[in-house]
Amino acid sequence: MSTDTLEKVNSRAHKSAHSRFGSRSRRVQFVFLCLLVPLFTMPFYVMIMAAFKTPQFAEVTTMWLPPSPFSFDGLQEAWSKLSPNFLNSFTMVVPAVIISSAIGSFNGYLLSKFTFRFSNIMFTMMLVGMFIPYQSVLIPLVKFLQLVNLYGTTPGLVLVHVVYGIPITTLIFRNFYVSIPKEIVEAAAIDGAGILRTFFSVIVPVSIPGFVVAGIFQFTNIWNDFLFGVITISDPTKQPVTVALNNLSGTQTVNWNVLMAGALIAAIPTAMAYLGLGRYFIQGLTAGSVK
Amino acid sequence: MSQVKTSSNPPIKRKKRGGDKKAALLLLPSFLIVSVFVYVFITYTIGVSLAENWMPAKPNMARGEDPFATYKNLFLNARFQSDLRNSFIFTFLFLLVTVIAGFFIALAVHNMGRSKGFFRGVFLLPYALSFIVTGVVWRWLFNPDSGVNLFLQYSGVAAAYKSIKGEELRPEWLTSATTVGDVGALLEKIIPGGEIIQVQMGIPLALIPVIIATAWQLLGFAMAMFLAGLVSIPDELREASMMDGAKGSRYYRSIALPMLAPIAITTLVILTHVALKIFDLIYAMAGSGIGFATDMPGIFVYESMYKALKYNTGAAASIVMLAIVCVIVVPYLIHTNRETKGH
């Protein structure tokens, strides 16, 4: 079907959909959704308002009131406490995302463009790795990291995130490469290119959308992790920001508004990535489900 | 995607029956390292759970007289019994809320015109946050002195309640120690050996705020999945059903719902395994709660291993968690694996 006729069909279907679900029913649904918006945004409201309050005016009993006077003190204090961990998170997330996406893209290419024995069983066995409760591997994981001298270090945490990220990135790329015609791989093979050269010269150049999808998905996953961070790194100055925020939340001396400011700081990178690249985020989300 | 499937890709001719050995070899390193980190590690944890006295500094795998003693004690442990109860109730209620609400929100968002992107963005934004952030924020929203309870006052709900019931409306939320609908006595009768149950088999009220917070975070995921499913229903089907004179509700019942079934199953499996594994959100929001009202197997494992240093107890509990998750996930993976083979 040419794109032209496809467009026509789509626009027709669009019109028919509108006429069928009469404008009244649609208006009711619109009102329903509008009523839900405050419910969903309320925690963001509280978090942001509190972050800009002065400690004296940050009583929990006035939670819903906007800040007056407006102040950056809370944010400053939270940043002074969390900034080292915030940077730790970045130095951990960036390599982990790049390496796990690269490995996933190579695996996805192998699994989608070649048929070989046991490919299905190997893939399924790898996929199990994204569903297991990680609690069931913590003891040997720590032992292993100690054995290779990476326990308590950022590279160790990167390694953990890369390995446990392989199943999901492989899945995302395998689903992504299904939409790339096998013909271009065959054409490269006819030209005499091997598996590796075909990957680097033919597949990688057309994989940018796949890398954005897998990258943003892994970025949020790894940034938001708590369990691996708290288990593999015991030195508070080296822990990622999620662990530091939880520690901050457990201390009695910290003011409530500082805590909210801290939550805001920890949330900003993933919220930004989501707001900027939301379309790809949704693709990763739905591709992450086994299809 | 549908265009790709219908286009006639000629099957690639393979040289040998075994297929591409080189491709298999290239996949092998990833396969092996993931297998070590998953299967070998799990085997090790099982070993620790059966060992009598394993310690990190002295990894002694020797078993005691009864290698299953740790498991037996675990199921007799009142805290772990609470955890299993909480995990079950939490998973069930959380799925009920999230899947049903996610479905209806997706239907409504799907019918929107220009505002579609806005609504989708708002409802999905919480999903981008860390469970820890969600826990920290919602902990304060459900503080009895603030948040939701202030709303009850402002809106007049609290005053209305007082004039009718004559008592103060001030839910304790996370700090509640009440359990409603105890069926423990009944369970003791119908389950052989039910007398080992030491905890109230009802719904701890403190779980409700936790369920609300988790649903808030993951509703967007359910919605996005259903939206993807709705978009994939061919427009021709809508048109055909319209020509047959089907009304909106009949279209949903006889066409949209059956076509959404596979995506609903995927959504259910993913959300169930997230709920069974839940740890960070509850750990940050409520901790174990009063009388372990909000404790979960994930928290139990973490605290057994790293606070109480009872490694075999923690390991055994983690293997129980794993077994429960596998009951849900493995049949699903085998099923989807078969399906892809069939194509």
Side-chain angles (χ1 to χ4, degrees):
Chain A
M1 207 184 279
S2 74
T3 46
D4 198 41
T5 47
L6 253 181
E7 258 166 36
K8 268 185 208 154
V9 169
N10 276 339
S11 71
R12 234 193 314 146
H14 204 60
K15 261 183 233 150
S16 71
H18 283 213
S19 59
R20 185 146 39 80
F21 304 106
S23 57
R24 222 178 78 210
S25 143
R26 268 189 68 216
R27 230 174 288 152
V28 172
Q29 293 180 14
F30 181 75
V31 172
F32 161 72
L33 291 176
C34 286
L35 289 175
L36 284 175
V37 169
L39 271 178
F40 269 81
T41 46
M42 173 187 83
F44 291 105
Y45 169 83
V46 169
M47 183 162 61
I48 295 168
M49 291 303 130
F52 292 106
K53 285 176 183 173
T54 56
Q56 308 86 287
F57 289 96
E59 292 290 322
V60 285
T61 46
T62 54
M63 182 184 265
W64 299 102
L65 301 179
S68 92
F70 190 88
S71 137
F72 284 100
D73 294 356
L75 268 178
Q76 248 162 16
E77 196 185 332
W79 177 248
S80 75
K81 289 197 155 74
L82 293 180
S83 60
N85 305 92
F86 188 84
L87 297 176
N88 289 344
S89 277
F90 261 108
T91 48
M92 180 260 304
V93 169
V94 172
V97 167
I98 293 172
I99 300 169
S100 70
S101 303
I103 296 176
S105 116
F106 187 60
N107 291 344
Y109 157 72
L110 295 173
L111 284 163
S112 63
K113 297 288 167 254
F114 301 94
T115 38
F116 48 90
R117 267 176 108 184
F118 306 125
S119 67
N120 250 323
I121 190 125
M122 281 163 93
F123 181 49
T124 307
M125 279 181 72
M126 284 163 76
L127 283 185
V128 171
M130 68 187 234
F131 289 102
I132 58 162
Y134 294 128
Q135 275 89 347
S136 62
V137 295
L138 294 179
I139 291 175
L141 182 68
V142 169
K143 277 250 133 205
F144 173 83
L145 289 175
Q146 285 166 338
L147 194 76
V148 294
N149 265 330
L150 287 175
Y151 177 72
T153 66
T154 301
L157 191 50
V158 170
L159 175 76
V160 172
H161 282 302
V162 166
V163 175
Y164 290 110
I166 288 176
I168 182 74
T169 53
T170 301
L171 175 67
I172 290 175
F173 276 102
R174 176 182 159 277
N175 289 350
F176 174 74
Y177 289 139
V178 167
S179 64
I180 289 174
K182 273 189 174 175
E183 282 87 343
I184 62 168
V185 178
E186 283 169 59
I190 291 165
D191 290 347
I195 291 184
L196 286 172
R197 236 192 72 203
T198 309
F199 176 69
F200 287 110
S201 61
V202 179
I203 296 292
V204 171
V206 296
S207 300
I208 292 169
F211 275 103
V212 177
V213 171
I216 184 172
F217 192 74
Q218 278 298 84
F219 178 77
T220 29
N221 271 350
I222 299 173
W223 182 276
N224 291 340
D225 163 74
F226 172 76
L227 186 61
F228 285 141
V230 76
I231 292 298
T232 65
I233 298 180
S234 48
D235 178 354
T237 61
K238 289 184 180 169
Q239 285 173 332
V241 70
T242 47
V243 180
L245 176 64
N246 187 58
N247 292 344
L248 198 67
S249 164
T251 32
Q252 302 292 322
T253 51
V254 176
N255 220 310
W256 169 72
N257 68 318
V258 175
L259 204 55
M260 290 290 138
L264 187 65
I265 289 169
I268 278 175
T270 49
M272 282 305 182
Y274 164 74
L275 290 174
L277 299 160
R279 196 161 56 91
Y280 296 99
F281 183 77
I282 292 172
Q283 274 181 36
L285 206 80
T286 44
S289 58
V290 190
K291 267 189 272 184
Chain B
M1 290 291 253
S2 59
Q3 286 149 281
V4 178
K5 274 177 196 156
T6 49
S7 78
S8 52
N9 277 340
I12 301 184
K13 282 176 214 129
R14 289 277 150 242
K15 292 152 246 163
K16 285 160 258 157
R17 275 197 79 221
D20 251 290
K21 287 224 172 82
K22 211 173 159 201
L25 270 176
L26 289 168
L27 184 67
L28 209 56
S30 287
F31 173 74
L32 286 178
I33 191 163
V34 171
S35 295
V36 167
F37 273 63
V38 174
Y39 301 101
V40 176
F41 281 12
I42 287 171
T43 312
Y44 192 95
T45 305
I46 293 175
V48 174
S49 76
L50 298 174
E52 196 175 20
N53 197 11
W54 184 96
M55 282 287 154
K58 213 170 136 244
N60 180 5
M61 281 288 190
R63 289 173 196 178
E65 257 172 50
D66 180 3
F68 294 102
T70 312
Y71 285 91
K72 283 175 190 158
N73 291 333
L74 186 65
F75 285 106
L76 291 173
N77 182 330
R79 179 177 177 186
F80 195 66
Q81 288 180 0
S82 313
D83 296 345
L84 292 178
R85 169 199 68 190
N86 294 348
S87 181
F88 178 79
I89 292 168
F90 171 81
T91 304
F92 180 77
L93 293 179
F94 158 76
L95 284 178
L96 201 72
V97 173
T98 311
V99 173
I100 293 176
F103 176 72
F104 283 107
I105 292 175
L107 280 187
V109 170
H110 187 64
N111 287 334
M112 291 302 115
R114 268 177 303 166
S115 55
K116 191 174 178 171
F118 166 75
F119 285 123
R120 196 178 51 189
V122 168
F123 298 140
L124 196 55
L125 183 57
Y127 187 79
L129 300 186
S130 161
F131 273 144
I132 295 288
V133 169
T134 303
V136 166
V137 176
W138 279 90
R139 176 191 197 134
W140 288 98
L141 285 173
F142 279 115
N143 181 319
D145 295 324
S146 68
V148 178
N149 280 3
L150 286 179
F151 245 128
L152 293 176
Q153 277 174 32
Y154 294 158
S155 61
V157 174
Y161 183 89
K162 200 180 174 188
S163 66
I164 297 166
K165 285 257 187 177
E167 50 187 284
E168 220 48 79
L169 174 68
R170 193 172 167 279
E172 294 170 295
W173 300 117
L174 293 169
T175 52
S176 166
T178 317
T179 305
V180 295
D182 189 2
V183 291
L186 185 74
L187 285 179
E188 258 179 55
K189 275 181 206 142
I190 51 175
I191 301 175
E195 61 276 3
I196 65 161
I197 299 174
Q198 300 174 47
V199 293
Q200 286 188 299
M201 282 298 163
I203 302 175
L205 289 182
L207 273 183
I208 290 171
V210 170
I211 292 167
I212 293 173
T214 318
W216 174 77
Q217 176 143 36
L218 294 171
L219 250 170
F221 171 75
M223 176 206 67
M225 293 290 283
F226 284 122
L227 266 180
L230 284 168
V231 170
S232 73
I233 296 177
D235 295 321
E236 290 81 3
L237 276 180
R238 278 195 140 181
E239 285 188 43
S241 82
M242 191 193 64
M243 280 173 193
D244 291 346
K247 285 201 198 93
S249 60
R250 244 201 78 201
Y251 162 76
Y252 284 124
R253 244 181 304 137
S254 50
I255 295 173
L257 271 181
M259 291 203 70
L260 286 176
I263 214 146
I265 290 172
T266 304
T267 311
L268 263 175
V269 170
I270 292 181
L271 289 178
T272 308
H273 104 278
V274 172
L276 291 171
K277 285 166 32 175
I278 194 91
F279 166 64
D280 352 12
L281 196 158
I282 299 181
Y283 191 67
M285 183 171 166
S288 298
I290 293 170
F292 302 120
T294 54
D295 203 41
M296 287 287 159
I299 301 178
F300 180 88
V301 174
Y302 174 73
E303 293 197 334
S304 300
M305 286 181 187
Y306 298 97
K307 298 272 156 78
L309 305 183
K310 286 183 182 163
Y311 290 92
N312 51 5
T313 307
S318 77
I319 296 301
V320 174
M321 271 179 89
L322 176 71
I324 296 172
V325 169
C326 282
V327 168
I328 306 287
V329 168
V330 170
Y332 168 74
L333 282 179
I334 292 173
H335 172 77
T336 38
N337 183 21
R338 235 185 250 142
E339 248 181 17
T340 41
K341 251 185 204 167
H343 276 300

